[in-house]
């Protein structure tokens, strides 16, 4: 089973790993486009006003541009530690130990606008590039990633269950055929349901943790839902989709 997580805008600083080597990352089929994007992002960082427009930043966020300028020389750390924020707080990978940690590292992957897809242990630097970023004079990121990333996803789905926890903009970068999608809804005492937006990431993080560390190896939405229920979650599955139900 592979759990495909969204990245986060916020990222942990620093690291103790060597500088980025794109060919050291998982999924080598993506190396060519990764290298192109890294070169473009580093070059863009030399022009701060243009960088701000392309990346959706303000002058107060120029430290993000400095990170991009240092992409090829900055220290790295495992992707699962690099990304931060609500989902990753709920996932709490740092608290995993022993066999649970090993299972999680083998099951967790992160979608990325810069790297396409990386596994939990892949060493990456801090950077700023979102799915909606528009690099000057270049096609949109979805147009560039889709031809190379969709075959990678298709290969994953052919071998195992893939649970797609990506947010909308990252799901738009490439489709994952036959992946199990996850929807979070709140349910009131009278049975009315509404989509969860504010706490969506936290609930997905808890679901990802439950699936990542469990000894079971789900092979479809029904068995994934069973694991989540054993972890105390209210989950339904219909036609390959998991609906995570939280109190309204």
């Amino acid at each position: 089973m592979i759990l495909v997580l969204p990245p986060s805008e916020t990222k942990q600083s620093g690291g103790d790993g060597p500088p980025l080597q794109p060919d050291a990352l998982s999924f080598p089929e993506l190396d060519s486009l990764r290298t192109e994007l890294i070169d473009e992002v580093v070059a863009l960082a030399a022009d701060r006003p243009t960088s701000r427009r392309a990346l959706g930043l303000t002058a107060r966020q120029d430290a993000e541009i400095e990170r991009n300028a240092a992409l090829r020389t900055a220290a790295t750390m495992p992707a699962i530690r690099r990304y931060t924020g609500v989902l990753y707080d709920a996932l709490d990978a740092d608290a995993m130990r022993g066999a649970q940690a090993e299972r999680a590292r083998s099951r967790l992957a992160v979608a990325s606008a810069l790297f396409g897809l990386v596994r939990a242990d892949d060493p990456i630097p801090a950077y700023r590039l979102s799915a909606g970023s528009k690099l000057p004079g270049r096609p949109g990121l979805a147009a560039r990633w889709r031809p190379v990333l969709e075959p990678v996803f298709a290969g994953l789905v052919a071998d195992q269950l893939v649970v797609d926890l990506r947010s909308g903009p990252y799901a738009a970068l490439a489709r994952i055929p036959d992946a199990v999608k996850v929807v979070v809804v709140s349910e009131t005492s009278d049975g009315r349901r509404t989509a969860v937006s504010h706490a969506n990431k936290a609930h997905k993080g808890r679901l990802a943790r439950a699936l990542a560390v469990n000894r079971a190896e789900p092979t479809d939405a029904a068995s994934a839902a069973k694991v989540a229920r054993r972890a105390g979650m209210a989950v339904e599955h219909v036609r390959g989709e998991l609906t995570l139900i939280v109190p309204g």
Side-chain angles (χ1 to χ4, degrees):
M1 174 175 59
I2 296 291
L3 307 167
V4 181
L5 305 177
S8 60
E9 295 287 4
T10 56
K11 297 173 183 69
Q12 181 71 30
S13 298
D16 55 10
L20 175 67
Q21 294 293 329
D23 59 4
L25 304 178
S26 302
F27 312 110
E29 308 95 311
L30 307 178
D31 284 354
S32 178
L33 183 51
R34 286 168 174 160
T35 300
E36 285 181 22
L37 290 172
I38 291 165
D39 288 344
E40 291 168 19
V41 168
V42 170
L44 178 65
D47 183 340
R48 291 198 175 193
T50 303
S51 286
R52 291 178 197 139
R53 289 192 297 272
L55 304 176
L57 302 174
T58 68
R60 292 184 179 182
Q61 295 173 293
D62 277 358
E64 300 283 354
I65 300 173
E66 293 168 9
R67 282 179 165 182
N68 283 354
L71 262 175
R72 289 200 174 277
T73 57
T76 58
M77 68 171 63
I80 202 61
R81 291 179 50 218
R82 177 66 71 190
Y83 295 105
T84 61
V86 175
L87 186 150
Y88 289 89
D89 287 346
L91 178 66
D92 199 11
D94 285 343
M96 297 174 185
R97 297 289 183 272
Q100 286 191 342
E102 290 182 15
R103 282 192 289 271
R105 287 196 298 269
S106 70
R107 292 172 174 174
L108 293 170
V110 184
S112 166
L114 184 61
F115 302 116
L117 186 68
V118 292
R119 290 193 180 269
D121 282 341
D122 283 353
I124 60 171
Y127 66 93
R128 183 62 176 253
L129 187 72
S130 304
S133 298
K134 301 184 185 301
L135 297 176
R138 304 296 293 159
L141 290 173
R144 300 176 72 180
W145 273 121
R146 194 170 293 130
V148 294
L149 189 50
E150 287 190 351
V152 170
F153 281 136
L156 290 178
V157 171
D159 294 334
Q160 63 213 303
L161 175 69
V162 175
V163 179
D164 186 2
L165 293 151
R166 297 174 299 169
S167 55
Y170 288 91
L173 290 183
R175 294 163 294 186
I176 309 180
D178 301 320
V180 173
K181 294 181 173 57
V182 178
V183 176
V184 184
V185 300
S186 64
E187 184 174 80
T188 60
S189 57
D190 61 4
R192 288 181 297 171
R193 293 181 176 180
T194 56
V196 171
S197 55
H198 179 67
N200 181 289
K201 293 178 181 179
H203 293 300
K204 284 186 174 181
R206 286 191 280 272
L207 176 62
R209 181 182 178 86
L211 294 173
V213 304
N214 198 274
R215 292 179 182 178
E217 188 67 45
T219 57
D220 54 22
S223 53
K226 186 176 180 180
V227 170
R229 291 189 197 107
R230 287 203 300 266
M233 300 178 182
V235 180
E236 295 176 350
H237 65 91
V238 178
R239 293 189 296 276
E241 181 174 278
L242 295 182
T243 299
L244 180 58
I245 306 161
V246 299

